[in-house]
Amino acid sequence: MSIEVGNKVKGKVTGIKNFGAFVELPEGKSGLVHISEVADNYVENVNDHLTVGDEVEVKVLTVADDGKISLSIKKAKERPKRQAPKKEPKPEDFEKKLSNFLKDSEDKMTSIKRQTESRRGGKGARR
């Protein structure tokens, strides 16, 4: 398999630095997995995740004109497919809920007005 952007290839970790890991690829080439591309979670120390001699699958991110190859381990992993987003409620459902809310709200406001008016002696209440 040729080393082209987007391809996944197997390689061997040949060196580890504080900024990432060097990986030997097929055809005698090598590339760098930056520390931010080692794992999905925060990586403080590359040695916690990789050791020299590890076989890894990497995804080729870029191939520069000067031959430098940028790689990613985390993007080479198969991700579980996302669940389909939930269907949005139908407009009729929303309209019905809104209508019910407004009716309940009006009923509660009417009830509150009756209670406060009777306490204040409003609307013909005897004193």
Side-chain angles (χ1 to χ4, degrees):
M1 178 179 278
S2 64
I3 298 172
E4 295 176 7
V5 174
N7 285 354
K8 292 181 185 178
V9 293
K10 294 227 184 252
K12 188 175 188 178
V13 177
T14 57
I16 295 179
K17 300 288 182 188
N18 59 356
F19 54 85
F22 291 97
V23 177
E24 184 181 334
L25 302 170
E27 303 173 14
K29 297 184 179 184
S30 81
L32 174 71
V33 178
H34 188 265
I35 190 169
S36 64
E37 295 294 332
V38 170
D40 288 329
N41 54 339
Y42 175 74
V43 177
E44 187 171 338
N45 186 348
V46 179
N47 288 302
D48 294 340
H49 295 270
L50 299 170
T51 56
V52 174
D54 283 353
E55 292 283 333
V56 291
E57 184 176 37
V58 293
K59 183 173 184 176
V60 180
L61 299 179
T62 61
V63 178
D65 293 335
D66 60 359
K68 292 182 180 177
I69 302 170
S70 178
L71 306 168
S72 173
I73 293 173
K74 71 179 184 181
K75 290 182 180 156
K77 294 179 182 173
E78 292 295 326
R79 309 248 182 215
K81 292 187 179 182
R82 293 183 181 179
Q83 294 178 352
K86 293 182 180 180
K87 292 182 181 178
E88 293 192 23
K90 295 179 183 176
E92 304 88 46
D93 293 342
F94 175 76
E95 294 294 328
K96 186 175 181 181
K97 287 180 181 180
L98 181 60
S99 175
N100 288 340
F101 171 78
L102 291 173
K103 182 177 180 275
D104 291 344
S105 178
E106 186 64 31
D107 291 346
K108 288 178 183 176
M109 289 301 295
T110 303
S111 174
I112 290 171
K113 284 181 184 178
R114 283 188 193 137
Q115 290 173 359
T116 56
E117 287 174 354
S118 66
R119 289 184 189 150
R120 293 183 185 165
K123 288 205 174 179
R126 295 185 187 205
R127 291 187 182 210

